[in-house]
């Protein structure tokens, strides 16, 4: 049995899959101040009548880090930049407090200038009095030589042990793009504490129910990482929620090959994505979040700040939606009328407290000439307009720049959706009208109300590994494995690839019980550069990263919950 749990900002959803079928579903209100309790509640719904000892794995998707960044709910986080000469990185000063230190590494990985002792002393004094205990350190070309970053880290740990969250760009984001490395490392540092608390709550909840299964987190690219790994790489779960919805669409859409517009309507936001030829679009360089370009590879999506819990506003006789959530709909215990309440008044939602929803709505629009039903339809039309504008903007953007799927760069492909698929709580109520506005054929998948949790459950475990080799020192090492392996000075990229692929296959068998071939393992990053001493090349540094390709887990066999419902117009 496999469980998927999506911890969203409004609801926590869960599904239990057994023998390729959805056996149980669960949906509870997310307790933002007690996420552990939310996870326990949804587990209890899923485990009724089930043997928890037969659970093989649980995969979690979450909006936690995304919301922390979007709402800027992270602690004061410092940033140390070691940019080297010729660069004025004022535009990269993201930190609550920022320090620029001298010292430099050149593009070949040579240390050109060491850190200055007097400057280090002044920096340490400032850091000690700043109150900063979360600190990111990023040096230019540190991926080719991390010695300056590591020296500074050791210096801080020796003299200021209370600064206990120090993260290095060379470890968090080992890519050459300096601005993306700065953004990614700083964001990872900023979300570290809250993310660690959340992951501990996840572990506690699972253990409290006597489950001894492997735990995974869904990443932005639709792949997974082990829960323990997520402590050090929390930033990789940004956009985990949208990735879960896209994976859910893939599982539910079966053999659908038409270019499809995907809409996931949550309480706070609506996520927009596209699938072409049955494959989702992809951002290989890294996703953007709140204006920060990161190195986190992810499935392409856009979010707009309108969802089922968006509050209704009346301004100078005009009625519409505000781009903010202040709580659940009145029909579900809230105090402020929302889009969901408008759907209740319009007769499109029959759940919840209908009477309270109509009373609150009537009071809000009492000075408007329209009938209640007419006012409700105007609010719904406002939501349709916001989605339509965002979709048109996204299509213009994508049709004017290179677009990638998870497999390839699309060439000469114009994206023109033919169908719109919608998931989320209000999907059934909103889809027919919105599809009409968009001029697309509507599809409402089965399990649309828990599709995110389903997407997490069916995601293929995608373990990853990094290989670092130094042919001058004649060794290579694999991340997370103690010790170095000896090589000859003739060690090549081809040799490194072979070792990495064989090790990946071994890892997957040990952790996921899967028997996969080379086709499901991809090299996601590869670089080599010469080590030069004087006027001669002494050797090469090789760095490769590999992971199992994201996708639907083939070990689940033939899924038996494929999409059934295309709504006839």
């Amino acid at each position: 049995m496999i469980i998927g749990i999506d911890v969203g900002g409004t609801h926590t959803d869960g599904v239990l899959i057994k023998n390729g079928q959805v056996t149980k579903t669960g949906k509870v209100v997310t307790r933002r101040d007690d996420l552990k309790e939310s996870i326990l509640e949804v587990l209890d719904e899923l485990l009724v009548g089930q043997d928890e000892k037969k659970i093989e794995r649980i995969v979690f998707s979450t909006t936690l880090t995304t919301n922390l960044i979007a709402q800027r709910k992270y602690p004061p986080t410092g940033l140390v930049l070691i940019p080297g000469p010729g660069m004025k990185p004022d535009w990269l000063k993201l930190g609550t407090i920022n320090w620029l230190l001298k010292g430099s590494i050149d593009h070949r990985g040579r240390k050109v200038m060491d850190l200055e002792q007097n400057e280090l002393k002044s920096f340490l004094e400032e850091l000690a009095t700043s109150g900063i205990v979360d600190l990111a350190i990023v040096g230019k070309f540190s991926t080719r030589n991390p010695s300056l970053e590591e020296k500074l880290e050791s210096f801080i740990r020796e003299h200021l042990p209370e600064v206990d969250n120090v993260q290095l760009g060379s470890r968090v984001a080992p890519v050459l793009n300096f601005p993306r490395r700065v953004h990614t490392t700083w964001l990872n540092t900023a979300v570290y504490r809250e993310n660690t608390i959340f992951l501990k709550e996840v572990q506690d909840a699972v253990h409290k129910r006597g489950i001894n299964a492997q735990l995974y987190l869904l990443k932005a690219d639709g792949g997974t990482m082990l829960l323990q790994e997520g402590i050090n790489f929390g930033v990789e779960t940004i956009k985990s929620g949208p990735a879960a919805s896209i994976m859910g669409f893939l599982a539910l859409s079966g053999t659908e090959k038409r270019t499809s517009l995907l809409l996931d309507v949550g309480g706070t936001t609506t996520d927009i994505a596209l699938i072409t030829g049955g494959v989702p679009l992809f951002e290989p360089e890294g996703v953007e979040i709140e204006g920060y370009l990161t190195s986190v590879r992810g499935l392409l999506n856009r979010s707009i700040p309108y969802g089922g819990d968006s509050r209704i506003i009346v301004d100078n006789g005009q009625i519409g939606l505000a781009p903010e959530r202040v709580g659940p709909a009145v029909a579900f215990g809230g105090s402020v009328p929302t889009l969901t309440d408008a759907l209740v008044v319009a007769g499109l939602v029959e759940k919840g407290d209908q009477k309270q929803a109509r009373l609150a709505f009537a009071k809000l629009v009492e000075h408007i000439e329209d009938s209640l039903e007419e006012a409700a339809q105007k609010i719904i039309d406002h939501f349709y307009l916001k989605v339509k504008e965002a979709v048109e903007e996204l299509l213009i953007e994508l049709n004017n720049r290179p677009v990638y799927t998870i497999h390839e760069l699309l060439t000469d492909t114009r994206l023109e959706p033919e169908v719109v698929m919608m998931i989320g709580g209000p999907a059934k109520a909103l889809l027919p009208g919105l599809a009409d506005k968009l001029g697309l054929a509507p599809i409402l998948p089965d399990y649309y109300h828990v599709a995110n949790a389903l997407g997490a459950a069916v995601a293929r475990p995608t373990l990853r590994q990094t290989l670092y080799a130094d042919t001058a020192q004649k060794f290579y090492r694999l991340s997370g494995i103690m010790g170095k392996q000896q090589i000859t000075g003739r060690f090549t990229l081809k040799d490194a690839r072979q070792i990495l692929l064989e090790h990946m296959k071994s890892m997957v068998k040990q952790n996921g019980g899967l028997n996969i071939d080379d086709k499901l393992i991809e090299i996601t990053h590869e670089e080599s550069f010469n080590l030069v001493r004087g006027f001669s090349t002494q050797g090469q540094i090789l760095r490769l990263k590999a992971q199992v390709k994201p996708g639907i887990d083939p070990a689940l066999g033939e899924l038996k919950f494929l999409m059934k419902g295309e709504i006839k117009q």
Side-chain angles (χ1 to χ4, degrees):
M1 293 189 293
I2 296 171
I3 286 178
I5 293 179
D6 177 62
V7 184
T10 304
H11 290 101
T12 296
D13 302 335
V15 300
L16 186 147
I17 297 176
K18 182 162 62 176
N19 299 325
Q21 289 185 316
V22 175
T23 304
K24 293 271 188 178
T25 67
K27 181 182 280 286
V28 302
V29 173
T30 296
R31 301 188 185 190
R32 298 190 178 202
D33 57 346
D34 193 348
L35 295 176
K36 178 181 174 181
E37 191 59 31
S38 301
I39 295 168
L40 284 170
E41 287 179 7
V42 81
L43 277 175
D44 289 343
E45 290 191 10
L46 298 175
L47 293 175
V48 174
Q50 305 297 323
D51 182 358
E52 65 273 7
K53 293 184 177 60
K54 293 184 178 178
I55 298 171
E56 301 165 37
R57 67 172 184 263
I58 305 179
V59 184
F60 292 86
S61 58
T62 174
T63 59
L64 177 78
T65 54
T66 301
N67 291 342
L68 286 173
I69 294 168
Q71 299 168 19
R72 302 184 186 279
K73 289 185 176 179
Y74 37 73
T77 305
L79 175 62
V80 178
L81 295 174
I82 311 172
M87 186 176 186
K88 293 183 179 180
D90 290 344
W91 55 288
L92 289 173
K93 291 181 177 178
L94 316 176
T96 310
I97 301 177
N98 303 278
W99 290 272
L100 292 182
L101 297 186
K102 295 173 183 170
S104 70
I105 302 292
D106 73 9
H107 68 286
R108 289 178 170 172
R110 296 178 299 191
K111 184 166 67 177
V112 178
M113 180 190 298
D114 203 350
L115 300 171
E116 287 190 356
Q117 288 302 312
N118 288 337
E119 192 176 55
L120 278 182
K121 185 178 178 182
S122 298
F123 160 71
L124 204 66
E125 291 173 353
E126 290 180 22
L127 181 59
T129 59
S130 69
I132 295 286
V133 293
D134 300 275
L135 187 69
I137 302 172
V138 189
K140 193 171 183 182
F141 295 120
S142 64
T143 57
R144 295 191 164 177
N145 183 345
S147 61
L148 296 184
E149 288 183 356
E150 292 174 349
K151 182 176 182 178
L152 184 56
E153 179 192 27
S154 298
F155 190 68
I156 294 168
R157 293 196 188 284
E158 178 183 356
H159 296 283
L160 291 176
E162 64 271 27
V163 183
D164 59 352
N165 176 23
V166 179
Q167 303 203 24
L168 309 185
S170 55
R171 293 175 189 158
V172 175
V175 296
L176 278 177
N177 189 309
F178 185 54
R180 285 184 185 267
R181 191 160 73 254
V182 172
H183 291 168
T184 307
T185 307
W186 185 77
L187 290 172
N188 199 60
T189 309
V191 303
Y192 175 80
R193 292 185 190 278
E194 284 297 320
N195 182 57
T196 301
I197 292 171
F198 168 68
L199 296 184
K200 186 175 184 307
E201 289 179 332
V202 168
Q203 287 179 311
D204 288 348
V206 171
H207 292 156
K208 194 170 182 177
R209 289 297 178 263
I211 299 171
N212 186 27
Q214 192 67 270
L215 306 181
Y216 294 90
L217 291 171
L218 193 73
K219 298 185 297 166
D221 64 358
T224 64
M225 61 179 168
L226 292 169
L227 193 78
Q228 302 92 310
E229 195 180 359
I231 292 175
N232 292 324
F233 298 100
V235 71
E236 297 219 23
T237 63
I238 60 172
K239 304 210 173 187
S240 168
S245 67
I246 294 171
M247 297 302 291
F249 276 121
L250 290 177
L252 293 166
S253 60
T255 57
E256 175 63 63
K257 298 299 181 186
R258 289 176 290 180
T259 299
S260 305
L261 175 67
L262 314 180
L263 299 174
D264 177 8
V265 186
T268 309
T269 61
T270 294
D271 296 324
I272 303 167
L274 287 158
I275 291 180
T276 181
V279 182
L281 300 187
F282 191 60
E283 294 188 294
E285 294 297 318
V287 300
E288 179 180 346
I289 180 167
E290 297 299 311
Y292 300 117
L293 290 171
T294 74
S295 61
V296 178
R297 290 154 46 94
L299 302 178
L300 188 148
N301 76 90
R302 294 289 184 272
S303 296
I304 59 172
Y306 295 91
D309 292 340
S310 294
R311 74 181 175 95
I312 299 168
I313 53 173
V314 179
D315 186 16
N316 292 324
Q318 300 297 312
I319 191 166
L321 289 170
E324 62 177 338
R325 178 185 188 271
V326 293
V330 174
F332 295 95
S335 58
V336 178
T338 71
L339 171 63
T340 299
D341 292 310
L343 293 170
V344 169
V345 173
L348 296 174
V349 168
E350 297 177 350
K351 295 180 180 178
D353 191 328
Q354 305 277 305
K355 181 179 178 182
Q356 287 300 319
R358 291 186 71 87
L359 285 173
F361 189 84
K363 185 176 181 181
L364 183 69
V365 301
E366 60 186 348
H367 300 300
I368 294 179
E369 294 181 355
D370 299 325
S371 67
L372 289 188
E373 288 72 18
E374 289 172 337
Q377 189 57 53
K378 283 187 176 179
I379 291 163
I380 297 167
D381 286 341
H382 188 202
F383 175 76
Y384 291 160
L385 176 65
K386 291 298 179 184
V387 174
K388 189 170 185 287
E389 289 176 346
V391 169
E392 290 173 347
E393 183 178 329
L394 177 60
L395 288 174
I396 290 172
E397 175 194 335
L398 295 179
N399 284 321
N400 285 282
R401 71 170 174 89
V403 176
Y404 295 81
T405 69
I406 204 162
H407 301 308
E408 61 180 346
L409 168 65
L410 297 180
T411 56
D412 300 326
T413 300
R414 184 169 182 79
L415 295 168
E416 295 179 347
E418 298 175 67
V419 301
V420 53
M421 295 193 283
M422 186 180 283
I423 63 172
K428 189 173 183 179
L430 291 168
L431 179 58
L434 183 55
D436 183 61
K437 298 288 184 185
L438 294 169
L440 302 174
I443 294 179
L444 185 71
D446 284 353
Y447 303 108
Y448 65 88
H449 59 300
V450 291
N452 283 20
L454 181 61
V458 302
R460 175 190 298 140
T462 55
L463 304 173
R464 59 187 178 177
Q465 183 58 273
T466 299
L467 183 148
Y468 174 89
D470 183 334
T471 63
Q473 299 293 324
K474 298 181 180 178
F475 76 87
Y476 79 81
R477 64 171 177 254
L478 293 158
S479 58
I481 296 178
M482 296 295 290
K484 301 175 181 177
Q485 301 296 318
Q486 288 189 335
I487 56 177
T488 71
R490 296 181 177 178
F491 191 77
T492 66
L493 270 175
K494 183 179 179 181
D495 298 327
R497 284 189 208 109
Q498 187 63 32
I499 290 172
L500 190 54
L501 291 174
E502 290 299 324
H503 186 75
M504 281 291 299
K505 286 194 287 186
S506 174
M507 277 182 66
V508 171
K509 287 178 182 176
Q510 290 175 16
N511 289 282
L514 299 177
N515 186 17
I516 63 172
D517 59 29
D518 295 2
K519 294 179 181 177
L520 288 179
I521 299 176
E522 62 177 347
I523 303 290
T524 57
H525 176 76
E526 180 178 292
E527 68 168 317
S528 65
F529 60 95
N530 294 331
L531 289 169
V532 179
R533 298 287 185 272
F535 296 97
S536 62
T537 299
Q538 301 295 311
Q540 279 193 317
I541 296 295
L542 311 176
R543 189 191 303 273
L544 298 88
K545 293 177 68 176
Q547 74 165 8
V548 177
K549 289 180 181 177
I552 305 297
D553 184 359
L556 292 174
E558 182 182 355
L559 300 176
K560 301 182 177 75
F561 44 85
L562 298 179
M563 171 188 67
K564 294 177 181 175
E566 178 164 352
I567 295 176
K568 304 299 181 185
Q569 297 190 87

